[in-house]
Amino acid sequence: MITIEPSPSLSAVPTDQGSDLGVGPYAYSIINQQYRHMVDQEGGVREDRDPEYLHQMRVGSRRLRTALQVFDQVVKLPKAARIQSIRKISQTLGRLRDLDVQIADLEQDYGQRIVHKAQLKALQKALGMLKKQRRQVFAEIEGLLAQPLYTNLKRAYEDWLRSPQFRAMAELPLILVLPDLLNPLIAKLLLHPGWLVTGVEVSPAHRQTLHDLRKVCKSVRYQAEFFSNFYGPGFQAWIKELKTWQDNLGKVQDTYVLTGLLADQCDATTNLSQLHGVMAEKRQGALTDWERTRLRYLSPGFRQTLYEQVLHPQLDQTPTPEEPEAFLVNPAINPPGSSDPPCRELGL
């Protein structure tokens, strides 16, 4: 089993140029890093011996897409290197990754917990179908990696990285525009209707809303990680929470996908009560802290503190072990006696 850092380190990104650090060089470093991480997994994906290569290539493609969104007004990329090309690659990789997750769930989780013979038979039937689909999708990926779409994309990035082209905004100091780069996606997260779904209301009817919230959490997390070097421990803790809810909402979505898959594979007389009970238990476990979290995201104090944090980046911000993983309490935001949850709760 290979070991790959799940979140590529930003240690190579320049942060030591003081207030003179320009947004252009920083954008270049982020794009270069995410592109390299994506293409470095290609050989492992082709060999198809370890699913982690596929996972990391998909992560790299999504991080690269996010980087292009963030720095859209900073860099000038050739057409073959733009978001549309990366999106198609990312989507195909995502289909295979989703199948890998579903297969692993059936083999390593549900298959170990179900004892009812009829339900085990249904699982085995679903597993066989998933593996057949996986072979088909993997063949698509093999073809995609040999197609001009992918080869042209790599050539375009290699050319651009050798001779990058920028827009006028690239000359601005990063410290000046950093809050403006972060705020749009944060606003999208805070305005998402998923926070209005109460814990007692979570049902298949809210599946798409929560699935979309998961995708927004992931995009915001990727973007925040690009700039985490410029913020303190509270910001780091918030990123960790986004990752937690990205994973938890993913588990909820996976149970609904499996439910639909089994419904297609089984006739109406098949008793799947034990399996449905296990999936309901998994959803409940994933949403244990949902109500507290969603109410905090609807709290004026939380929102204001998050925006205040983003508005005050610092160059060479390095959290120390002594610092608490929490947003610092701001008396102006949460005065004594305030009805809002105290800001220290934002430490998660």
Side-chain angles (χ1 to χ4, degrees), residues 54-112:
L54 170 72
H55 173 53
Q56 291 300 323
M57 189 171 188
R58 182 194 191 191
V59 168
S61 68
R62 288 188 165 184
R63 286 178 181 273
L64 182 56
R65 282 171 55 190
T66 301
L68 298 191
Q69 292 172 341
V70 172
F71 298 113
D72 178 60
Q73 299 302 314
V74 179
V75 300
K76 294 172 64 176
L77 291 169
K79 184 176 180 180
R82 294 174 190 169
I83 287 179
Q84 293 83 351
S85 298
I86 301 170
R87 181 180 291 115
K88 183 173 181 180
I89 294 168
S90 181
Q91 288 173 344
T92 307
L93 293 171
R95 288 168 56 203
L96 189 60
R97 174 61 181 171
D98 290 344
L99 288 168
D100 281 344
V101 170
Q102 291 164 9
I103 289 171
D105 279 346
L106 288 179
E107 291 181 332
Q108 302 169 18
D109 187 4
Y110 297 111
Q112 304 299 317

Side-chain angles (χ1 to χ4, degrees), residues 146-164:
Q147 287 177 3
L149 174 72
Y150 183 66
T151 56
N152 289 343
L153 180 142
K154 290 198 296 182
R155 186 179 301 110
Y157 271 99
E158 296 295 345
D159 290 344
W160 185 83
L161 290 169
R162 280 193 296 270
S163 181

Side-chain angles (χ1 to χ4, degrees), residues 286-304:
L287 295 171
T288 298
D289 207 31
W290 169 249
E291 192 64 16
R292 184 182 75 89
T293 300
R294 79 170 197 92
L295 289 176
R296 190 170 65 255
Y297 272 78
L298 293 173
S299 161
F302 176 92
R303 290 169 175 239
Q304 188 171 354

